[in-house]
Amino acid sequence: MSFLRAEWRKLIMINYEVNPGVLKPYLPLGTDLDFFEGKCYVSVVGFMFLNTRLLGVRVPFHVNFEEVNLRFYVKKEKEGEIKRGVVFIKEIVPKAAITFVANTIYNENYQTLEMKHLWNLKKNKMNITYKWKINNEWNSIEVEALNNLEKIEKKSEIEFIAEHYWGYSKNNNKTTEYEVKHPKWEFYPVINHKIDVNFLETYNKDFLFLRNQKPTSVFLLEGSEVSVENKVKF
């Protein structure tokens, strides 16, 4: 049985090219940074968890909720197989129980904060917003997109950002690995975006430079049902 099943919907992905040296202290043992056309990325990602089940059970008041995370991209090669995955620098959710389970079992870096979202869906366009409150200050990411789903092209930047099926986290001298299963996603063309994030307060001084950096790209993915499988350590 999968550890977790849910729908991940309306994923905003704001992507920045960064110096690889910034990420090396966060790199789990046994993984390498993954690059797209020689570029190293971090992404701010916001989305909704919907219909969440933990070991097949819907936990009251923990079924639908927001998440915003900061992540980067890695790969792990073993016996000729390359697993492409992500490492989360921080994941923000509004539910303390989710934070406890993720940090305890999967060695992730969750934080519980007040959050809210807005989905304004119209026939031709949509506005999607995710907000979180830290030190009495609201932060937000927002996109305006055409309400027209398109398929992801192979070997494109959006495929590199969206199509990672493994998660890795540091656990002292060990690494936690888990598989994330979902079908190939589709995206909505983004026409405008707004970023209002205190990177120092939300993350730390290592990522303060993002405050003055324009993103390389901004995507809005529809998402799908996903499953998070049980962890292994190495």
Side-chain angles (χ1 to χ4, degrees):
M1 179 181 292
S2 300
F3 178 76
L4 180 144
R5 287 186 177 274
E7 294 179 40
W8 291 353
R9 295 292 181 180
K10 302 295 189 293
L11 297 96
I12 296 176
M13 297 183 170
I14 301 172
N15 313 299
Y16 299 88
E17 183 183 355
V18 299
N19 185 320
V22 174
L23 301 176
K24 287 184 178 179
Y26 299 90
L27 193 63
L29 189 69
T31 66
D32 298 302
L33 290 174
D34 201 4
F35 295 81
F36 176 74
E37 296 183 348
K39 298 177 181 178
C40 183
Y41 288 90
V42 297
S43 300
V44 178
V45 179
F47 62 99
M48 286 296 297
F49 266 89
L50 300 176
N51 301 317
T52 305
R53 286 100 62 204
L54 191 64
L55 296 175
V57 177
R58 286 178 169 84
V59 180
F61 310 110
H62 293 77
V63 175
N64 302 322
F65 54 91
E66 302 89 351
E67 176 174 319
V68 171
N69 64 60
L70 181 66
R71 72 185 201 178
F72 66 96
Y73 305 93
V74 299
K75 59 184 178 181
K76 175 178 173 287
E77 185 173 358
K78 184 178 181 180
E79 298 177 352
E81 178 188 8
I82 297 178
K83 296 178 178 179
R84 299 179 61 242
V86 301
V87 176
F88 296 101
I89 294 163
K90 180 184 283 189
E91 296 161 90
I92 299 168
V93 293
K95 304 292 185 180
I98 300 295
T99 297
F100 176 78
V101 170
N103 290 353
T104 302
I105 297 178
Y106 279 81
N107 303 110
E108 295 288 6
N109 299 296
Y110 272 72
Q111 182 180 13
T112 307
L113 295 174
E114 183 180 353
M115 301 184 74
K116 55 187 178 181
H117 74 282
L118 174 65
W119 288 4
N120 184 8
L121 308 179
K122 300 179 181 179
K123 181 178 180 180
N124 297 320
K125 294 182 182 179
M126 64 179 70
N127 288 84
I128 307 296
T129 305
Y130 298 106
K131 295 186 176 185
W132 62 100
K133 193 176 187 179
I134 187 166
N135 295 336
N136 295 315
E137 178 185 29
W138 281 104
N139 296 256
S140 64
I141 54 175
E142 177 182 356
V143 299
E144 180 183 14
L146 299 177
N147 194 354
N148 179 37
L149 275 174
E150 297 187 10
K151 295 186 180 299
I152 292 176
E153 293 184 6
K154 291 183 178 181
K155 298 182 179 180
S156 63
E157 182 188 20
I158 189 170
E159 183 187 56
F160 174 81
I161 296 294
E163 301 297 319
H164 286 77
Y165 295 95
W166 296 88
Y168 294 95
S169 59
K170 295 182 71 171
N171 181 20
N172 296 321
N173 292 324
K174 292 184 178 293
T175 295
T176 299
E177 176 190 80
Y178 55 91
E179 187 177 6
V180 180
K181 296 180 177 180
H182 65 76
K184 196 175 184 69
W185 287 337
E186 296 180 319
F187 71 98
Y188 301 96
V190 172
I191 53 179
N192 284 304
H193 69 270
K194 183 178 180 181
I195 303 164
D196 186 8
V197 177
N198 187 325
F199 284 95
L200 178 61
E201 295 294 334
T202 300
Y203 303 110
N204 60 51
K205 60 181 177 60
D206 290 347
F207 301 97
L208 177 61
F209 70 93
L210 295 178
R211 177 181 62 185
N212 300 314
Q213 184 169 326
K214 291 184 178 181
T216 305
S217 56
V218 179
F219 303 131
L220 178 64
L221 286 294
E222 171 54 34
S224 67
E225 186 167 308
V226 303
S227 67
V228 177
E229 305 304 319
N230 290 299
K231 67 178 182 179
V232 297
K233 291 184 179 181
F234 57 86

